[in-house]
Amino acid sequence: MVKNKITFKALLRFIALAVLIALSVFLAYKFGIIELFLNEEKLKSFIQSLGPFGVIGFVLLQAFQVVAAPIPGEVTGLLGGYLYGTVGGIVLSTIGLTLGSVVAFILGRTFGRPFVERVVDPTVLSKFDYLLHHKGAFLVFFLFLIPGFPKDYLSYFLGLSSLSVLEFTVIAGVGRLLGTVLLSLGGDYLRHHEYEKFLSLAGIAAVVMVIVWLFKEKIERLLRIWHVSRYRKKKKK
């Protein structure tokens, strides 16, 4: 009886969330918000048109692109550096990205595995399922630190783990910092028309991304083995 009640409540939560998402997508399409997000120039003009409130708008934009937006995070990261300089871009992007990550984390925790399975790529679920069995804050931080790993998906997925909201907030904020610095720096180069520096930075980033892509499977396997063996050693003690 109790199990049926829990299942019914979970079903109601899922239906309510599905209706909310559908309504949000409809309104976003109706008022041209989706089109705005897909056009980089319009996006830039919109943020600038907000004047003093542009800072808040940019932070919310960064948060939204983690949770649901159809635009890649690289675009908004460069935009932050272009509009607010390297330091301003890093600070504002970090706030927005951390906020979006925490929202995704809480959504995953609130609506459970059925919801996460609909949002997260099945390959990500299978590859990182071991993170749900043992608490591994350092490993999660390391995954967030490596370029090219699906951090947005992981934010939803880790809502099912034993990490606390505070632990995850620190990991998401600090772990995304390397990518945020590079993107903000690149945006600042574009702002000052320093195209040679921008291309050099983009080249270095591309090389790193290719290396990570080539050895991604090995890195994931080594991290999984390390994490499980570390847990077993702790358990023996």
Side-chain angles (χ1 to χ4, degrees):
M1 186 70 176
V2 175
K3 188 176 180 181
N4 289 337
K5 283 184 178 179
I6 293 172
T7 305
F8 182 67
K9 284 182 179 179
L11 182 62
L12 281 179
R13 283 182 180 180
F14 182 76
I15 291 172
L17 182 67
V19 171
L20 182 62
I21 291 173
L23 182 62
S24 299
V25 171
F26 172 76
L27 291 174
Y29 175 78
K30 189 75 175 174
F31 291 101
I33 296 173
I34 290 178
E35 185 185 355
L36 173 68
F37 282 158
L38 293 173
N39 190 309
E40 188 178 344
E41 287 303 316
K42 284 186 178 180
L43 196 59
K44 191 188 299 179
S45 299
F46 174 71
I47 295 294
Q48 289 175 326
S49 71
L50 294 175
F53 298 102
V55 170
I56 298 172
F58 176 74
V59 168
L60 293 177
L61 173 68
Q62 279 287 48
F64 188 65
Q65 67 89 7
V66 173
V67 177
I71 52 174
E74 288 76 15
V75 172
T76 51
L78 286 171
L79 182 61
Y82 184 89
L83 293 175
Y84 305 107
T86 302
V87 176
I90 291 170
V91 172
L92 296 176
S93 287
T94 299
I95 294 171
L97 292 171
T98 305
L99 177 62
S101 300
V102 171
V103 169
F105 178 86
I106 292 173
L107 284 172
R109 176 150 297 180
T110 303
F111 295 102
R113 184 137 196 154
F115 166 71
V116 172
E117 286 176 347
R118 288 179 175 272
V119 176
V120 178
D121 189 325
T123 56
V124 176
L125 282 173
S126 61
K127 281 182 181 179
F128 298 105
D129 190 65
Y130 67 92
L131 290 174
L132 303 183
H133 305 301
H134 329 298
K135 189 173 181 178
F138 178 76
L139 176 58
V140 173
F141 168 74
F142 194 72
L143 290 172
F144 265 81
L145 201 61
I146 298 173
F149 275 74
K151 301 174 184 64
D152 297 349
Y153 279 154
L154 281 176
S155 297
Y156 282 104
F157 178 70
L158 290 168
L160 305 176
S161 72
S162 57
L163 287 171
S164 69
V165 176
L166 179 60
E167 286 173 323
F168 178 77
T169 301
V170 174
I171 289 169
V174 180
R176 287 181 181 270
L177 201 54
L178 177 61
T180 302
V181 169
L182 292 176
L183 288 169
S184 298
L185 189 60
D188 195 34
Y189 285 154
L190 289 176
R191 179 190 190 185
H192 293 100
H193 308 290
E194 296 176 312
Y195 300 118
E196 287 185 7
K197 289 183 179 179
F198 174 77
L199 290 173
S200 298
L201 184 67
I204 293 169
V207 169
V208 172
M209 290 294 290
V210 168
I211 292 171
V212 170
W213 182 77
L214 289 173
F215 296 98
K216 191 176 179 182
E217 295 295 329
K218 289 183 179 179
I219 293 171
E220 289 173 355
R221 188 167 61 251
L222 286 172
L223 288 175
R224 183 165 57 249
I225 292 170
W226 174 80
H227 178 64
V228 173
S229 63
R230 189 164 170 262
Y231 171 77
R232 285 174 178 169
K233 284 179 183 178
K234 280 186 176 181
K235 200 172 180 183
K236 286 179 181 178
K237 291 180 182 179

